Amino acid sequence: MKPVIILVSPQMGENIGASARAMKNFGLSDLRIVSPRDGWPNEKADSMSVGAIDVIQNAKIFNDLSSALADLNFVFATTASSRDINKDHLLSKKIPEFEIPKGKVGIMFGRESSGLSNEEISHANQILTIDTSLEFSSLNIAHAVGVIAYEFFKIETRDDLENAQDLASKEELEYFFDHLFGNLQKKGFFKIDEKTPLMKQNIRNLFARIPNLSKSEIQTLRGILSSFESKL
Amino acid sequence: MKPVIILVSPQMGENIGASARAMKNFGLSDLRIVSPRDGWPNEKADSMSVGAIDVIQNAKIFNDLSSALADLNFVFATTASSRDINKDHLLSKKIPEFEIPKGKVGIMFGRESSGLSNEEISHANQILTIDTSLEFSSLNIAHAVGVIAYEFFKIETRDDLENAQDLASKEELEYFFDHLFGNLQKKGFFKIDEKTPLMKQNIRNLFARIPNLSKSEIQTLRGILSSFESKL
């Protein structure tokens, strides 16, 4: 179980470098960065990575979150707390007991100033929260990466949770959303422009939460949509 | 269980500040520093502590280790590995199960360049080791403080992350299925009679799996269906 680490719009190179070092401490190597504020490559990231320069050099850079998640099957969003979002919070200390679905797993971390947006969180299957003191929950991002990588490192090989289904990728789920939102737009579902992003986010949240969504289930969902279109 | 953190001859102010921040994240406040290389106070420690400046300001400075440990009852020494020392290694992940003796507990962390000396370790009752990748075990000191503080924090309990949403009943989910299946029937989605029960079952399976589906989400789903009907 070697999850991909996705840093979303990180601001400081030092934190990217320190994150890479913490990843390597706990056996992780696949780092993806979405829209780093100061561009890429970043000298401060290089120097803070110390012995983990290979992680920095192999990092993949993306311009948008969907591309960064496209090939993943299950995605965690780390947040301090988001009670307004209807997703369960998995506490980091429960990671070793959590039944992580088979397939490619990613963990998103937000920008230093404000974390992940609700829209970004809506791409995730599961929210992950590090249980901190309620009085001071603002963790340095590299520390958050370190703690999560540390917990994943506790999971030795664990192949007892076989799921025979061929899992859908995030990209396939995106096609479904495109299809659904396009149809809803045509049908006048989104009546008030300002509310449209929030409505889309709520719909995303709902479907993103289905565990182990398979390729054939995505086909079913798209078949439902096509069926609604057919007699227009 | 709020252990005292003792940094032994730390070299960089940034690491002292980041250690203080991580301590406060996990509810610790008692920081002791033995012979900081760059003297005290230290501006870099102040700026890296961010919201934990109180931990820095209340830190106690000592010239020798014995004085720093004087009032403690049980002391841990953190090391990457010290197989030549005849003390048990407690792995950090075992902290929540470890029977920590009553009294005042401290945890020592060594200098960035070389950790704790064997002499310094000899002051400890117990060696504490963070289990890292064997290929890259060199943790940043503030990350080490963070992981250990995190494990000690687990000893406390936390029940504040309850999901506040008003959950949908099974009955409400049934209404949705009735609505959906009725529409799909009209639309000719179920082409082959013998396959209809299995197709319905697959669709049910898919939606039934969404954890903690709320009442308002059911409304959203039914709104989508109504929207598709509206222009027939």
Side-chain angles (χ1 to χ4, degrees), chain B residues 129-229:
Chain B
T129 295
I130 297 174
D131 32 344
T132 58
S133 163
L134 293 176
E135 287 159 33
F136 188 55
S137 64
S138 164
L139 270 168
N140 170 283
I141 181 180
H143 279 246
V145 171
V147 163
I148 298 295
Y150 167 76
E151 286 289 5
F152 272 90
F153 187 71
K154 286 184 185 173
I155 297 173
E156 316 202 359
T157 51
R158 185 167 170 186
D159 300 318
D160 62 302
L161 295 168
E162 296 286 316
N163 191 321
Q165 298 290 321
D166 199 6
L167 299 183
S169 67
K170 283 288 169 196
E171 187 174 38
E172 286 163 322
L173 189 58
E174 279 309 307
Y175 289 143
F176 164 69
F177 283 132
D178 286 348
H179 194 165
L180 175 64
F181 293 153
N183 277 354
L184 290 175
Q185 195 75 51
K186 276 188 249 164
K187 285 293 198 171
F189 179 76
F190 301 116
K191 293 185 182 66
I192 302 164
D193 276 355
E194 306 89 80
K195 288 197 177 171
T196 300
L198 184 60
M199 291 177 83
K200 286 187 176 178
Q201 185 180 307
N202 288 343
I203 293 169
R204 258 181 193 286
N205 255 327
L206 194 161
F207 286 98
R209 225 155 68 223
I210 305 178
N212 302 313
L213 196 66
S214 73
K215 286 185 194 302
S216 70
E217 286 174 326
I218 287 273
Q219 286 307 321
T220 300
L221 288 170
R222 298 193 67 187
I224 290 174
L225 286 178
S226 299
S227 146
F228 280 121
E229 285 170 306

Side-chain angles (χ1 to χ4, degrees), chain B residues 61-162:
Chain B
I61 310 301
F62 297 86
N63 291 321
D64 66 289
L65 183 60
S66 296
S67 312
L69 305 181
D71 62 326
L72 303 181
N73 303 105
F74 191 91
V75 174
F76 291 96
T78 54
T79 71
S81 66
S82 308
R83 293 181 202 193
D84 49 333
I85 292 175
N86 185 20
K87 279 184 179 158
D88 279 345
H89 287 70
L90 175 68
L91 286 176
S92 54
K93 66 182 171 190
K94 300 290 186 191
I95 288 173
E97 302 150 34
F98 185 71
E99 294 198 12
I100 293 161
K102 269 180 80 170
K104 210 161 176 178
V105 172
I107 308 167
M108 292 192 274
F109 295 82
R111 52 194 68 64
E112 291 91 327
S113 55
S114 56
L116 293 165
S117 69
N118 284 352
E119 197 281 326
E120 288 159 350
I121 293 171
S122 74
H123 290 256
N125 300 78
Q126 172 77 47
I127 290 180
L128 191 53
T129 295
I130 297 174
D131 32 344
T132 58
S133 163
L134 293 176
E135 287 159 33
F136 188 55
S137 64
S138 164
L139 270 168
N140 170 283
I141 181 180
H143 279 246
V145 171
V147 163
I148 298 295
Y150 167 76
E151 286 289 5
F152 272 90
F153 187 71
K154 286 184 185 173
I155 297 173
E156 316 202 359
T157 51
R158 185 167 170 186
D159 300 318
D160 62 302
L161 295 168
E162 296 286 316

Side-chain angles (χ1 to χ4, degrees), chain A residues 21 25 86 88 91-92 131-133 136 138-140 142-143 150-151 154 187 209 211-212 217 228, chain B residues 21 25 92-93 132-133 136 138-140 142-143 150-151 153-154 158 161 187 209 211-212 217 228:
Chain A
R21 178 172 174 183
N25 284 143
N86 183 22
D88 276 346
L91 287 177
S92 54
D131 33 344
T132 59
S133 164
F136 188 55
S138 164
L139 270 167
N140 170 282
H143 279 246
Y150 167 76
E151 286 288 6
K154 289 182 185 172
K187 284 293 199 169
R209 224 157 68 222
N212 301 313
E217 286 175 325
F228 282 122
Chain B
R21 178 173 175 182
N25 285 142
S92 54
K93 66 182 171 190
T132 58
S133 163
F136 188 55
S138 164
L139 270 168
N140 170 283
H143 279 246
Y150 167 76
E151 286 289 5
F153 187 71
K154 286 184 185 173
R158 185 167 170 186
L161 295 168
K187 285 293 198 171
R209 225 155 68 223
N212 302 313
E217 286 174 326
F228 280 121

